[in-house]
Structure formats: structure tokens, C-alpha cells
Amino acid sequence: MKKNVKLLLALVLAFALLLGVSSSALADLEVASVEAPEIELEGSGPSAYIYSAQLYAAQDLTMTFFVRASNINDATPVMSITYVNGAQEDLAGTYDASRDLYLFRVEKIGSQNMKDSFTLDVKHDGIVLDTKTYSIAQYLEALHNSTAAKLGLSASKYSALQTLVADILEYGAAAQIYKNHNTSDLANSYSWVAGLKTNTAGLSAPASVQSLSYETQSNAFKAAYLRLSGKVRIGFRFIAADADTVTISDGVNSNTILVNTLSASSGVYTIFTDWLEIDAFDKTFTVTLTDGGSHTYSTLTYSVNSYLNRKWESDNDTLVALVKALTAYNNSARAYAYAE
């Protein structure tokens, strides 16, 4: 029986990947929900404010940090973050009465940024109470170095976690190479990753169903691509010389948009699906161009897996490595979720 587990860990790319659609035809990866253990930070003794961290993501890549409320003396703290590029922002906390902790969610971290450190300052009335410098890679390394007993996991669950951690770091390194970001310090540079990661040479491309039909090139879908910027959704590009409406449907919900409400770039329009959960890579969308009535000009069927499948044997070696690393990550996430 399929388990209903809460989605607490998912990584996505932090960049756009474009797929051109041929005039003949466009030509499902599934990840289970997983709950990553919470890790205490070094130096998080009784007097510390920033206590622990957890990787938490349903639609995006997010680190949640826990701050002891008892050390704030009933005041409401603020956390500020300074990213590696120098950008700063203040974060509002959520109080968890059951644990007497404030939760601060750090977003805007892409998969190519796993090795990039960010600095957290807990403040009250403008006074800095505690500072921590951290990264996604540090969190994953801490999971690796911890024990099954300390994390409260069975031996099989712990083993699955170790593979998952290694595959996440492999995925991060592939993203760094693809984006040419900080390639001198790759996420998979830890010596233990090689012995734990999935051998992507043995993976098969995710199954995918894709189709494209159209009457003329002047009313047709031209491209589908992934917009992955901390979150993931599919973008569809099309020309609509005569079409009045475009509809996106996943078989349950649909959204119809008037073409004249969209902006075009060089005569090409773009629409997007909603943000997708990481376990919805196999969700199939049907997109149609119509006259607003019964006449259909063009129909496209596509999913995230459609992209992965199509790029599995691309001429771009770094893209192939990225697609396979993402597939390995999804497979190991599912294995971890269902491990006893």
C-alpha cells in the first residue's frame, strides 16, 4: 500500500532549461515524499539562539532554522540572511508553541548553490543576538556524519538516507557544472559521496507520453521548457495569429486564458503551469489553442518527464549529466520514503 508521507525534502534546479519542439511531434519520473531529520547546529548550547536546521521543501528548496524562544524573553525575534552574492533580506518567524521555538524559512537557494554559505543573524530591536554561517552542503554532511541511533532511524532507513544524501550532492554538482557556478568547489567533493551515490550509468530514462498537433505554423505551440528558479513549472511558447484562447488542463483542473491579455515577444506568447510539487513530474498537461469556441488550432501534451526523457541522450553532455543526476535523486528519495 502506498504510504502517505509528508513532503519535506525536494530539490529543484535554479535555472531555466529550454526544449525546442519539432514541427512533427514532441516526442513519467516520480519522487516520493520524504522527511529529512532535523540536525542540531554546532555550538547550539543552552545559551545559543539558533538551535537546529532542517531541509524542508514542498515546491521549492527551503532551509528551516529553529530559534529558542526561551532565550528571547517573550520578544518576537527577526532573522536576517545575507546570501553569497551579498543580497540581504529580513525573515519573519513562526512560533511553534509545542516546542517553544521560532521557525524561520530561508528560501531562494538553488541546487547549484549547495556549497554557497549564507549568514544568519537573529535580531531583536536591531540588536544582533546570534549569528550562524551555514550551507545546504553542511546540513547534508551533518546527516551523513550522524548515526542511525541519533537520527532515530532503522538500519535500512539510515542506509537509504545515506544514498539520498550522496545523490542530492551529485545533483548539486551537476547543477554547478551546467550553470558554471563555483565549479572549483563542487557539492560532491566529499570523499564519501562516490561510494554511496547511485550509478547513473545503469538508469533508464523516465517514461513519458508526448504529442503535438496543429493545423498551421501560424497557430501552434513552438516550445516547452522548464522554469526552475527555486520552484518548478512548465512553460509553453506558442504563436496565435488567429487563436483567441489558450487552455492548460491536468485532467482535473483547467485554466483558460484570453490570448489578447498576454504579452508577446517577437510574436511568441508564453504561459505557465502552476508551481509543481516535486512528485508531480509525471503529471501530464494538455494545452490547447482555440477560437474560443469549438475549433481547436493546436494541442500539446507534455510533462516534466517529457523534458527529462527527451534530453536523456542530448548532445550536451553537461545537460545529460544533470538530467540523470536529477533522476537518481528522485529515485533515491522514493526509496528513502518507503524504507522501513
Side-chain angles (χ1 to χ4, degrees), residues 37-41 51-55 63-66 134 139:
E38 185 178 328
I39 290 291
E40 290 188 17
L41 303 183
Y51 170 68
S52 61
Q54 185 173 39
L55 196 63
M63 286 294 295
T64 300
F65 289 88
F66 302 87
Y134 208 59
Y139 168 83

Side-chain angles (χ1 to χ4, degrees), residues 9-66:
L9 176 63
L11 297 180
V12 293
L13 309 175
F15 39 85
L17 304 172
L18 179 63
L19 168 61
V21 178
S22 67
S23 60
S24 58
L26 284 170
D28 272 285
L29 173 81
E30 181 178 317
V31 59
S33 306
V34 294
E35 183 174 21
E38 185 178 328
I39 290 291
E40 290 188 17
L41 303 183
E42 290 186 18
S44 58
S47 62
Y49 292 89
I50 305 176
Y51 170 68
S52 61
Q54 185 173 39
L55 196 63
Y56 178 102
Q59 295 176 326
D60 53 11
L61 177 59
T62 302
M63 286 294 295
T64 300
F65 289 88
F66 302 87

Side-chain angles (χ1 to χ4, degrees), residues 64-87:
T64 300
F65 289 88
F66 302 87
V67 174
R68 287 189 178 93
S70 57
N71 288 353
I72 308 295
N73 297 323
D74 297 325
T76 301
V78 172
M79 178 178 284
S80 67
I81 178 170
T82 303
Y83 296 97
V84 68
N85 63 359

Side-chain angles (χ1 to χ4, degrees), residues 236 238 257-271:
F236 302 101
F238 61 95
I257 304 167
L258 294 174
V259 173
N260 62 14
T261 65
L262 300 172
S263 298
S265 175
S266 300
V268 178
Y269 297 91
T270 303
I271 57 170

Side-chain angles (χ1 to χ4, degrees), residues 68-311:
R68 287 189 178 93
S70 57
N71 288 353
I72 308 295
N73 297 323
D74 297 325
T76 301
V78 172
M79 178 178 284
S80 67
I81 178 170
T82 303
Y83 296 97
V84 68
N85 63 359
Q88 296 180 317
E89 66 175 323
D90 287 338
L91 309 171
T94 301
Y95 180 63
D96 182 350
S98 65
R99 299 183 62 191
D100 195 28
L101 295 171
Y102 281 94
L103 283 64
F104 293 89
R105 301 189 66 181
V106 176
E107 301 176 328
K108 303 179 182 178
I109 305 172
S111 53
Q112 79 271 24
N113 303 115
M114 292 186 197
K115 270 294 191 79
D116 294 344
S117 296
F118 47 85
T119 300
L120 304 170
D121 292 310
V122 173
K123 299 184 290 186
H124 176 60
D125 287 340
I127 299 174
V128 176
L129 305 175
D130 195 10
T131 298
K132 286 284 189 300
T133 298
Y134 208 59
S135 70
I136 298 289
Q138 280 181 260
Y139 168 83
L140 295 171
E141 183 184 23
L143 283 181
H144 170 72
N145 290 334
S146 191
T147 64
K150 187 171 183 178
L151 296 175
L153 302 177
S154 67
S156 60
K157 190 84 169 177
Y158 180 76
S159 176
L161 175 66
Q162 293 302 309
T163 301
L164 174 59
V165 166
D167 284 346
I168 291 172
L169 291 168
E170 281 288 303
Y171 172 56
Q176 286 177 265
I177 293 171
Y178 184 82
K179 289 291 290 181
N180 193 27
H181 174 77
N182 192 22
T183 55
S184 63
D185 187 21
L186 294 176
N188 63 353
S189 60
Y190 301 105
S191 60
W192 45 266
V193 171
L196 295 171
K197 69 178 183 178
T198 297
N199 179 11
T200 56
L203 292 178
S204 299
S208 172
V209 176
Q210 308 169 55
S211 65
L212 171 67
S213 64
Y214 61 93
E215 292 181 341
T216 66
Q217 293 280 1
S218 59
N219 291 283
F221 291 99
K222 296 298 181 182
Y225 66 100
L226 302 187
R227 170 66 61 84
L228 302 149
S229 183
K231 298 182 180 181
V232 57
R233 57 180 176 173
I234 307 173
F236 302 101
R237 290 179 177 165
F238 61 95
I239 295 174
D242 306 297
D244 295 313
T245 65
V246 58
T247 299
I248 301 179
S249 174
D250 63 5
V252 177
N253 302 302
S254 63
N255 182 28
T256 298
I257 304 167
L258 294 174
V259 173
N260 62 14
T261 65
L262 300 172
S263 298
S265 175
S266 300
V268 178
Y269 297 91
T270 303
I271 57 170
F272 296 95
T273 65
D274 289 334
W275 297 113
L276 302 175
E277 299 279 340
I278 195 70
D279 58 353
F281 281 12
D282 58 352
K283 177 181 285 189
T284 299
F285 292 89
T286 299
V287 196
T288 54
L289 281 174
T290 75
D291 63 355
S294 60
H295 187 77
T296 298
Y297 293 101
S298 183
T299 300
L300 169 64
T301 301
Y302 208 74
S303 69
V304 173
N305 278 348
S306 302
Y307 181 88
L308 298 177
N309 181 284
R310 191 171 179 84
K311 291 300 183 182

